Amino acid sequence: MGIASVLVIEDEENIASFVSMYLKKEGYIIYTASTGGEGMMLAAEKAPSVVILDLMLPDMDGFEVCRRLRRDSDVPIIMLTARDASTDKVVGLELGADDYITKPFDPRELVARVKSVLRRVQAHSQAPAGPVTVGDVSLDTERREVTMSGRPVKLTAKEFDLLNYLMLNKGLALSRQQLLERVWGYDFLGDTRTVDVHVNQLRKKLGDGELIETIWGVGYKLAG
Ligand code: CA
């Protein structure tokens, strides 16, 4: 992987410029967009490694941008949300965002999130080839493809990582905290509801409510 690039979609100039400044210092290539439309254009044109997406944009909301980006890309998306807007976080994660950070935030925390997302993408691109199969589900880490009974299932980057981790640990009860640490990274500061939202999305997309069992008071387990 070459030098990682970050697309910052944020109309508030002071936030965009201070985020860019911190990320540039880390050696990333930065693209900035001040509207959702411009952001989507740059995402298609530059194929950034990560997108930082503000929810409040002048032309359309960040959710819409997220939804549209997800139509043809599994680029990691980190949303910027208002403090305590917890529904925003859940909606954003359901639309395929990988992570969120609440305003006002410490730029060092944002840098840590970006690094964490990139580390996981890079770790996966170096993972051994060959699909893993559990029951009717088959997951190919090299192609980053999942099939259910031979039918392709479109997952976001984080849903894919979560399913991969569950499949590699099938039959084991995994706590929400453990899943957060292993799938989202040790420096993830979000709450464990993030895990629940992603598990629900996986169940819906796989069309199998029983593959991932809920272990009451603990977390989840992949049957098998
Ligand atoms: Ca904004």
Side-chain angles (χ1 to χ4, degrees), residues 10-24:
E10 163 67 281
D11 60 317
E12 282 156 85
E13 219 171 284
N14 54 339
I15 297 182
S17 67
F18 108 114
V19 163
S20 304
M21 185 189 79
Y22 270 90
L23 291 169
K24 264 184 203 154

Side-chain angles (χ1 to χ4, degrees), residues 9-12 15 34 54-58 80 103:
I9 308 177
E10 163 67 281
D11 60 317
E12 282 156 85
I15 297 182
S34 54
D54 184 46
L55 283 184
M56 301 285 285
L57 295 166
L80 302 180
K103 288 179 173 180

Side-chain angles (χ1 to χ4, degrees), residues 24-46:
K24 264 184 203 154
K25 262 198 271 179
E26 298 294 322
Y28 299 119
I29 297 168
I30 310 298
Y31 307 111
T32 52
S34 54
T35 63
E38 192 190 346
M40 286 186 301
M41 207 182 64
L42 278 174
E45 192 181 305
K46 307 289 187 188

Side-chain angles (χ1 to χ4, degrees), residues 21-118:
M21 185 189 79
Y22 270 90
L23 291 169
K24 264 184 203 154
K25 262 198 271 179
E26 298 294 322
Y28 299 119
I29 297 168
I30 310 298
Y31 307 111
T32 52
S34 54
T35 63
E38 192 190 346
M40 286 186 301
M41 207 182 64
L42 278 174
E45 192 181 305
K46 307 289 187 188
S49 319
V50 184
V51 173
I52 295 173
L53 173 62
D54 184 46
L55 283 184
M56 301 285 285
L57 295 166
D59 53 339
M60 63 181 89
D61 70 22
F63 294 133
E64 185 57 26
V65 178
C66 186
R67 189 181 294 126
R68 294 193 194 182
L69 286 175
R70 273 290 167 263
R71 278 187 205 155
D72 45 23
S73 162
D74 66 355
V75 63
I77 299 174
I78 302 173
M79 287 184 311
L80 302 180
T81 68
R83 181 180 287 280
D84 296 331
S86 49
T87 18
D88 283 358
K89 294 165 195 164
V90 174
V91 171
L93 294 169
E94 281 177 353
L95 288 174
D98 297 87
D99 198 352
Y100 57 81
I101 190 163
T102 47
K103 288 179 173 180
F105 53 85
D106 181 338
R108 287 168 300 183
E109 190 192 339
L110 185 69
V111 168
R113 300 289 183 94
V114 168
K115 281 186 177 170
S116 160
V117 161
L118 286 172

